[in-house]
């Protein structure tokens, strides 16, 4: 909220509204690109009908969100000191977790699943719990053996 | 229904040690599958259908029914303890179950949820036994127009319920879910939509990776974002709820039982919708609706009773019409057919003993799940004593296994991760995840039935507004939107939106 009682746009809603409007616009354009009438279907059972309607609804909802955000109903401001706020919010921890999660998927099928599980649990445990390496390794080994035996051998669940 | 014949069938099965053992095994496998995020009742039953192929029909059905009841009941464990629904049916259970656990009342919450599940299943099965043919007739009145409105109604309800003081965010999440469900081949003409030329996208996003990502991965990121350690001390004084406590909620149990059974009867609408609608009705009729989403016992009981009553309801069209009421019921239908039983009107007329046998096995399975679930409450509640960030690597591995197991594609794991990041971003901005998932589940139903309804009338939309059940559902949708918009405006006048966080 700015001084003098004038409301400032709510950044989170403005950001979300803009993103949603862009997404809905993209879906709408793609849906309108689907032929509305062919030898197989008419306009009323065209595959593009429902997505076009839904994209239209989402566009309206995003517009309401944007209009509302101009009225100053928001979550928080972006201003000086945002780096500090991002740090205290935990952006570094989220990015680190995402790196491990993405890495797990990237190595799936390239490394034996048990080894991958053990490495993932070991790294996550060290990074987020700060256990000593021996305990982390034991935990990782136990998890890897447990997961592969229970799912692979007992339940016959296909593992990567 | 010949009561004497049913009782004799029940006595015969209850005294057969092999049947009892198989029911127990099925129930335990079901509970484990239900508990683990990403492993569903449908998956448990699909796996067990193959494993029990060589057994006689009655024994195979015993295992499958045990797994069905076990998975639907077991799913609430992770919903209450970790805020991750074990199966889609438990998304509504998270709303009040997890806040109860955070208040140190996890054992009480699980005890109540198991009791409500048991009563819900017994209610649904009693309805199956008593009213199967009659209720099957009512469900037949639902046409394509009603199914469309049912899907819209489900999303609107979920958006209203979970959006906190800002239903618009709930409805946005629901619409986004409906829209994302249109990716891939459409259900009528198999036209590839929004696939960007990728073969992987032609089948669309699979439900399980979406569910696991939106709930599981987003929860993992939420937990790991915080640097402080959250360990919840929970009271373990009493697990089995007092009879008086259960009796106090008798109307919620009865009403949710009826709702769950009725929704179960409607083909294609499963336990998840039954749970949401039961929860919504409980909130609307509660004297303290403001407590919902913050640990309301009524909400927990309504959601649990509704989704379990749906099991019996979903089996009514299976046995009387040969049409499944839900996804696990579809597997049950397939299993019955594989074993030479032909579900449909003739089964009820010519082989009523099969119906009695199913009802008796359902009751045994319910009893087995009740005993197994309550026995395991104390060790399960100890999960809360472990710092949550310590559990997250294991939870992520289970999420990956669950997503990959559906069709052994790494693409599904990427989808899980993508929806996890989307779910996390939505949660952080105050958008509820539940309507996104429900919209995704109901998307194909809304899409196919809208176009099919229009096709049946040559493009005339009149039946969507004039058929009695359609008009009723449309009225409910309008009432919900108008009511929540007016209520939302009133709430905003009273307090800033930041003070009314959405329930995810």
């Amino acid at each position: 909220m700015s001084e003098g009682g004038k409301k400032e746009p709510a950044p989170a809603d403005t950001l979300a509204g803009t993103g949603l409007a862009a997404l809905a616009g993209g879906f709408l354009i793609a849906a309108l690109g689907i032929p509305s009438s062919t030898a197989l279907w008419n306009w009323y059972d065209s595959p593009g009908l429902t997505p076009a309607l839904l994209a239209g609804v989402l566009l309206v909802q995003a517009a309401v969100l944007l209009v509302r955000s101009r009225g100053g109903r928001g979550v928080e401001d972006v201003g000086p000191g945002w780096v500090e706020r991002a740090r205290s919010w935990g952006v570094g921890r989220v990015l680190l977790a995402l790196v491990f999660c993405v890495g797990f998927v990237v190595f799936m099928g390239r490394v034996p699943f048990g080894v991958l599980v053990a490495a993932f649990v070991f790294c996550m445990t060290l990074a987020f719990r700060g256990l000593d390496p021996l305990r982390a390794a034991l935990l990782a080994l136990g998890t890897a053996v447990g997961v592969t035996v229970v799912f692979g051998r007992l339940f016959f669940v296909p593992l990567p | 229904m010949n009561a004497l014949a049913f009782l004799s069938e029940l006595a015969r099965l209850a005294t057969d040690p092999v049947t009892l053992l198989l029911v127990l095994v099925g129930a335990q496998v079901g509970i484990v599958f239900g508990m683990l995020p990403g492993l569903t009742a449908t998956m448990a039953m699909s796996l067990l259908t193959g494993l029990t192929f060589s057994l006689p029909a009655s024994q195979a059905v015993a295992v499958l029914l045990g797994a069905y009841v076990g998975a639907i009941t077991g799913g609430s464990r992770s919903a209450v303890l970790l805020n991750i629904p074990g199966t889609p049916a438990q998304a509504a259970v998270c709303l009040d179950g997890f806040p109860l656990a955070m208040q140190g009342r996890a054992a009480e919450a699980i005890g109540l949820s198991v009791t409500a599940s048991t009563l819900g299943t017994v209610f649904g099965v009693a309805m199956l036994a008593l009213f199967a043919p009659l209720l099957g007739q009512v469900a037949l009145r639902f046409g394509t127009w009603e199914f469309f409105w049912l899907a819209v109604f489900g999303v609107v309800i979920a958006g209203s319920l979970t959006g906190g003081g800002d239903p618009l965010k709930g409805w946005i999440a629901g619409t986004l879910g409906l829209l994302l469900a249109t990716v891939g081949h459409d259900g009528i003409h198999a036209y590839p939509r929004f696939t960007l030329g990728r073969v992987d996208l032609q089948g669309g996003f699979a439900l399980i990776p979406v569910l696991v990502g939106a709930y599981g991965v987003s929860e993992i990121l939420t937990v790991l974002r915080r640097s402080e350690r959250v360990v919840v001390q929970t009271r373990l004084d009493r697990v089995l709820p007092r009879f008086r406590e259960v009796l106090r909620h008798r109307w919620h149990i009865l009403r949710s039982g009826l709702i769950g059974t009725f929704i179960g009867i409607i083909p294609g609408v499963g336990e998840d919708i039954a749970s949401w609608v039961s929860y919504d009705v409980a909130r609307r009729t509660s004297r303290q609706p403001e407590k919902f989403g913050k640990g309301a016992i009524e909400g927990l009981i309504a959601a649990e009773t509704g989704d379990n009553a749906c099991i019996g309801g979903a089996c009514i069209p299976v046995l009387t019409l040969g049409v499944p009421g839900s996804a696990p019921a579809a597997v049950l239908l397939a299993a019955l057919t594989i074993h030479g039983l032909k579900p449909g009107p003739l089964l009820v007329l010519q082989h009523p003993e099969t119906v009695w046998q199913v009802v008796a096995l359902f009751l045994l399975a319910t009893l087995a799940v009740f005993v197994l679930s309550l026995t395991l409450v104390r060790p399960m509640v100890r999960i809360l004593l472990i710092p949550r960030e310590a559990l997250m690597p294991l939870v992520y591995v289970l999420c990956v296994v669950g997503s990959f197991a559906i069709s052994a594609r790494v693409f599904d794991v990427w989808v899980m991760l993508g929806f996890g990041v989307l779910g996390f971003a939505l949660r952080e901005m105050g958008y509820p995840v539940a309507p996104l998932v429900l919209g995704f589940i109901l998307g194909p139903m809304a899409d196919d039935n809208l176009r099919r309804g229009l096709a049946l009338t040559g493009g005339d939309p009149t039946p969507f507004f004039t058929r009695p059940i359609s008009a009723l559902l449309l009225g409910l949708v309008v009432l919900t939107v108008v009511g929540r918009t007016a209520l939302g405006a009133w709430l905003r006048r009273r307090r800033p939106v930041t003070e009314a966080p959405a329930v995810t």
Side-chain angles (χ1 to χ4, degrees):
Chain A
M1 197 81 70
S2 66
E3 289 173 15
K6 188 186 171 189
K7 291 174 176 175
E8 286 184 359
D13 280 358
T14 308
L15 190 70
T18 310
L20 286 167
L23 182 74
F27 265 96
L28 188 61
I29 290 167
L32 293 176
I34 296 172
S36 61
S37 186
T38 66
L40 291 173
W41 61 73
N42 293 302
W43 69 267
Y44 46 78
D45 62 341
S46 157
L49 178 70
T50 314
L53 287 174
L54 289 170
V57 171
L58 190 61
L59 210 52
V60 171
Q61 289 170 333
V64 173
L65 196 64
L66 279 171
V67 168
R68 208 178 65 177
S69 74
R70 301 299 300 175
R73 284 198 56 228
V75 180
E76 61 194 43
D77 295 335
V78 175
W82 66 272
V83 176
E84 290 308 314
R85 280 208 296 279
R87 193 173 292 149
S88 66
W89 178 80
V91 71
R93 294 171 65 86
V94 170
L95 287 176
L96 185 63
L98 273 175
V99 166
F100 285 133
C101 291
V102 170
F104 188 97
V105 187
V106 167
F107 285 106
M108 269 174 66
R110 299 172 192 192
V111 177
F113 191 66
V115 176
L116 186 59
V117 169
F120 176 76
V121 174
F122 180 73
C123 294
M124 290 281 274
T125 308
L126 277 187
F128 289 97
R129 285 195 69 199
L131 286 186
D132 66 83
L134 184 65
R135 282 186 68 189
L138 284 174
L139 192 67
L141 193 67
T143 308
V145 171
V147 167
T148 45
V149 168
V150 170
F151 291 102
R153 303 279 165 84
L154 207 61
F155 290 154
F156 302 108
V157 173
L159 297 175
Chain B
M1 172 77 53
N2 185 332
L4 203 63
F6 163 67
L7 287 174
S8 71
E9 188 65 32
L10 181 62
R12 184 183 72 76
L13 290 168
T15 51
D16 177 15
V18 177
T19 303
L20 284 179
L21 182 69
L22 290 171
V23 168
L24 276 170
V25 168
Q28 188 55 55
V29 171
I31 289 171
V32 172
F33 267 71
M35 268 179 62
L36 298 174
L39 303 183
T40 63
T42 314
M43 196 192 290
M45 291 178 70
S46 307
L47 285 169
L48 287 174
T49 300
L51 292 175
T52 56
F53 182 69
S54 56
L55 293 177
S58 65
Q59 292 181 358
V61 171
V63 177
L64 292 173
L65 292 180
Y68 191 178
V69 179
I72 297 296
T73 307
S76 59
R77 298 302 88 81
S78 53
V80 171
L81 298 175
L82 298 169
N83 199 25
I84 300 170
T87 68
Q90 273 76 37
V93 175
C94 290
L95 297 182
D96 286 298
F98 186 66
L100 280 170
M102 287 293 105
Q103 292 162 19
R105 297 164 68 189
E108 181 191 351
I110 292 182
L112 276 167
S113 80
V114 169
T115 308
S117 300
T118 305
L119 292 172
T121 313
V122 170
F123 189 93
V125 172
M127 298 296 270
L128 166 69
L130 293 171
F131 300 112
L134 181 70
L135 292 175
Q137 291 289 327
V138 175
L140 281 178
R141 291 188 187 171
F142 270 68
T144 188
W145 304 275
E146 285 78 19
F147 280 120
F148 168 73
W149 283 120
L150 201 64
V152 174
F153 182 52
V155 173
V156 169
I157 278 185
S160 302
L161 281 174
T162 55
D166 196 0
L168 176 65
K169 289 188 172 178
W171 295 329
I172 285 177
T175 311
L176 191 60
L178 286 168
L179 193 57
L180 289 172
T182 61
V183 174
H185 282 137
D186 86 284
I188 296 179
H189 303 294
Y191 182 88
R193 300 181 292 196
F194 320 120
T195 57
L196 308 171
R198 282 190 62 106
V199 177
D200 285 329
L201 275 174
Q202 295 212 343
F205 301 119
L207 171 62
I208 296 301
V210 170
L211 178 87
V212 171
Y215 278 105
V217 177
S218 71
E219 181 70 16
I220 291 167
L221 293 175
T222 305
V223 169
L224 294 179
R225 179 176 75 77
R226 303 186 194 107
S227 52
E228 73 272 20
R229 300 206 166 158
V230 180
V231 179
V232 179
Q233 295 295 335
T234 195
R235 291 196 293 274
L236 277 167
D237 49 346
R238 189 180 176 93
V239 174
L240 194 64
R242 288 183 173 81
F243 182 67
R244 201 186 307 154
E245 171 82 7
V246 177
L247 202 63
R248 199 152 60 84
H249 299 288
R250 61 190 178 280
W251 295 118
H252 285 301
I253 291 170
L254 197 63
R255 190 170 45 228
S256 304
L258 278 169
I259 291 168
T261 307
F262 181 71
I263 288 177
I265 293 166
I266 301 167
V269 187
E271 289 81 7
D272 36 1
I273 305 266
S275 177
W276 278 109
V277 175
S278 303
Y279 184 85
D280 179 52
V281 173
R283 196 184 71 110
R284 284 169 191 270
T285 53
S286 171
R287 287 178 188 162
Q288 297 172 308
E290 71 281 359
K291 286 195 174 174
F292 278 64
K294 296 170 189 161
I297 298 278
E298 293 160 293
L300 177 71
I301 285 181
E304 276 290 9
T305 311
D307 65 28
N308 278 268
C310 186
I311 297 175
C315 287
I316 293 174
V318 167
L319 294 175
T320 58
L321 303 169
V323 175
S326 66
V331 181
L332 182 66
L333 175 68
L336 289 172
T337 311
I338 287 170
H339 284 282
L341 302 165
K342 290 190 176 133
L346 288 178
L347 181 78
V348 181
L349 294 173
Q350 294 174 351
H351 301 286
E353 71 280 1
T354 307
V355 180
W356 304 332
Q357 197 174 55
V358 169
V359 172
L361 285 171
F362 252 132
L363 290 178
L364 290 178
T366 308
L367 186 67
V369 170
F370 182 70
V371 172
L372 288 170
S373 296
L374 286 182
T375 313
L376 294 173
V377 166
R378 286 166 194 274
M380 275 180 211
V381 165
R382 298 203 185 281
I383 290 171
L384 286 174
L385 298 174
I386 304 169
R388 297 192 73 209
E389 73 271 14
L391 285 174
M392 292 305 129
L394 175 62
V395 173
Y396 184 73
V397 171
L398 294 180
C399 289
V400 169
V401 169
S403 299
F404 184 82
I406 297 295
S407 39
R409 291 192 310 171
V410 176
F411 174 75
D412 287 331
V413 185
W414 284 115
V415 169
M416 175 203 78
L417 203 52
F419 272 84
V421 174
L422 175 69
F424 175 69
L426 288 176
R427 285 167 73 153
E428 289 300 319
M429 287 194 285
Y431 291 79
V433 173
L436 174 87
V437 172
L438 195 68
F440 189 83
I441 291 170
L442 295 178
M445 189 203 271
D447 179 25
D448 293 353
N449 285 296
L450 171 67
R451 292 186 292 136
R452 196 175 291 132
L454 287 169
L456 285 171
T457 56
D460 178 13
T462 311
F464 283 101
F465 308 102
T466 54
R467 284 171 61 98
I469 301 174
S470 277
L472 177 72
L473 289 168
L474 170 63
L476 288 172
V477 168
V478 172
L479 269 178
T480 308
V481 172
V482 172
R484 284 294 283 146
T485 308
L487 186 67
W490 181 75
L491 279 173
R492 279 195 296 277
R493 279 199 298 274
R494 287 175 62 88
R495 61 183 178 185
V497 74
T498 44
E499 289 174 19
V503 179
T504 53

